[in-house]
Amino acid sequence: MTTQCMTECLKRGITVLFYSSNGAYYGRLISTNHVNVARQRSQAALKEEFKAGLARRIIRAKIRNQTVILRRYARKQAAAVEGIVSEMLRLAEKLDWTGNTEKIMGYEGMAARVYFATLGGLVDREFCFKGRSKRPPKDPFNSLISLGYSILMGEIYGKLEGKGLNPYFGVLHKDREKHPTLASDLMEEWRAVLVDSTAMSILNGHELHREDFFRDEETGAVLLVKDAFKEYLRKLEAKLHTDMKYLSYVDYRVNFRSALDLQVDRLAKAIESENPDLYQPICIR
């Protein structure tokens, strides 16, 4: 990027993300034009009741979206997953009786373990896996979703800043040094919808093969070769531009990237009104 291009991005409030050739996140170029101090003060002063209410809504939607993905790929392979789906939905029902954010995230973790263990059997045999592995990703599927989550995090981070919110003042997850917790919070409802489904599509559709991945000898991480990395980015970008009608509060079709922006807008309104019910997570069908 030229200096002139960077200057123009700063003027327009366009966030630029920097990654290594293998997808490792380095940092970002951001404008300060959209800082909203009053909104961030409201965000920092949120009560536990609000946080728990928002957490329930987001995690309930996340679990439901995961069950839709399982059913979708089980149907294609004539696999039996209804018992697993029922188990996950029972965990989602328990959220209604939980006023503690830590317990809500505990149910989320239980559902996630069941989900990934089941999803591992629905992916193409060449890429089957036993569960989630994060740092480092130990297999091709985990490599794809780890990279996808990192890109999704960057998308949401920039949109939060664009609405004057602080990406580091979280609601669901515990605060961690140098980690944009609020961006992690908002990612939850989108993980299966955008990233997991894209990874399943590209692997079950035989668009990538084992030779498109390699193991880094120093870290043990499974990574994409350069051309496969570009193809995966192209696939994710196409997904973000796909039109859908999954938002309950608009009666028209929007692409997923616009939907992310609308969701951050709803979050800002919910925070200012101190009413978590104003936030309506995405639910796919």
Side-chain angles (χ1 to χ4, degrees):
M1 291 183 72
T2 64
T3 302
Q4 290 85 351
C5 181
M6 290 186 182
T7 301
E8 194 62 28
C9 286
L10 288 170
K11 287 179 180 178
R12 299 189 185 195
I14 298 171
T15 300
V16 181
L17 310 181
F18 294 90
Y19 294 89
S20 74
S21 58
N22 289 324
Y25 175 67
Y26 286 150
R28 60 201 307 109
L29 177 72
I30 61 173
S31 167
T32 58
N33 290 339
H34 297 90
V35 173
N36 187 321
V37 176
R39 184 168 285 176
Q40 291 193 15
R41 287 188 185 279
S42 297
Q43 184 185 351
L46 289 175
K47 298 176 181 177
E48 287 303 316
E49 183 180 359
F50 177 96
K51 293 180 180 181
L54 186 64
R56 279 194 298 272
R57 298 180 75 82
I58 290 176
I59 299 306
R60 188 187 299 114
K62 177 185 181 179
I63 294 174
R64 184 188 180 282
N65 290 337
Q66 288 175 327
T67 64
V68 173
I69 296 298
L70 290 181
R71 280 174 166 155
R72 181 181 298 170
Y73 284 93
R75 187 164 54 247
K76 292 179 180 179
Q77 300 178 31
V81 297
E82 285 309 310
I84 296 298
V85 166
S86 295
E87 181 182 347
M88 293 174 66
L89 292 177
R90 281 195 295 272
L91 289 170
E93 289 174 2
K94 290 182 179 182
L95 298 174
D96 292 332
W97 308 100
T98 306
N100 181 286
T101 305
E102 191 170 330
K103 288 184 179 179
I104 291 170
M105 295 308 294
Y107 288 132
E108 181 276 330
M110 294 168 64
R113 284 190 290 274
V114 173
Y115 166 72
F116 280 115
T118 307
L119 196 65
L122 298 176
V123 71
D124 187 275
R125 289 184 180 181
E126 187 179 11
F127 299 105
C128 63
F129 65 100
K130 294 183 179 179
R132 182 78 174 104
S133 60
K134 301 179 183 179
R135 302 179 187 87
K138 298 179 180 179
D139 55 71
F141 186 87
N142 275 289
S143 179
L144 289 181
I145 63 174
S146 289
L147 174 57
Y149 293 161
S150 178
I151 292 169
L152 179 57
M153 172 86 76
E155 288 273 344
I156 295 174
Y157 189 118
K159 293 183 185 305
L160 287 169
E161 288 187 324
K163 301 297 181 182
L165 293 167
N166 189 316
Y168 293 86
F169 293 168
V171 177
L172 282 69
H173 298 88
K174 291 183 178 179
D175 292 337
R176 298 207 316 264
E177 187 70 20
K178 300 178 182 179
H179 180 75
T181 315
L182 185 60
S184 283
D185 294 345
L186 290 197
M187 273 180 60
E188 295 298 345
E189 67 190 87
W190 296 98
R191 289 176 185 263
V193 177
L194 289 174
V195 180
D196 300 356
S197 62
T198 300
M200 289 292 288
S201 173
I202 203 169
L203 294 180
N204 283 14
H206 306 108
E207 296 175 62
L208 292 180
H209 304 278
R210 293 291 302 192
E211 57 267 26
D212 291 314
F213 298 85
F214 70 97
R215 188 175 299 277
D216 183 81
E217 294 183 2
E218 184 176 342
T219 65
V222 173
L223 304 171
L224 286 154
V225 301
K226 188 174 181 180
D227 287 345
F229 176 70
K230 290 180 178 179
E231 175 61 20
Y232 183 52
L233 291 185
R234 185 197 65 76
K235 190 83 173 181
L236 276 174
E237 187 64 21
K239 182 74 172 183
L240 286 167
H241 279 92
T242 302
D243 287 345
M244 56 81 179
K245 196 176 179 182
Y246 295 143
L247 295 178
S248 60
Y249 53 88
V250 295
D251 58 359
Y252 51 88
R253 300 178 69 87
V254 296
N255 64 44
F256 281 106
R257 180 168 276 134
S258 297
L260 286 169
D261 197 58
L262 289 169
Q263 288 294 80
V264 174
D265 230 355
R266 299 288 294 193
L267 176 66
K269 292 175 182 177
I271 288 173
E272 289 179 338
S273 303
E274 298 183 19
N275 181 5
D277 292 341
L278 292 180
Y279 188 79
Q280 300 176 44
I282 184 172
C283 288
I284 61 173
R285 299 181 290 275

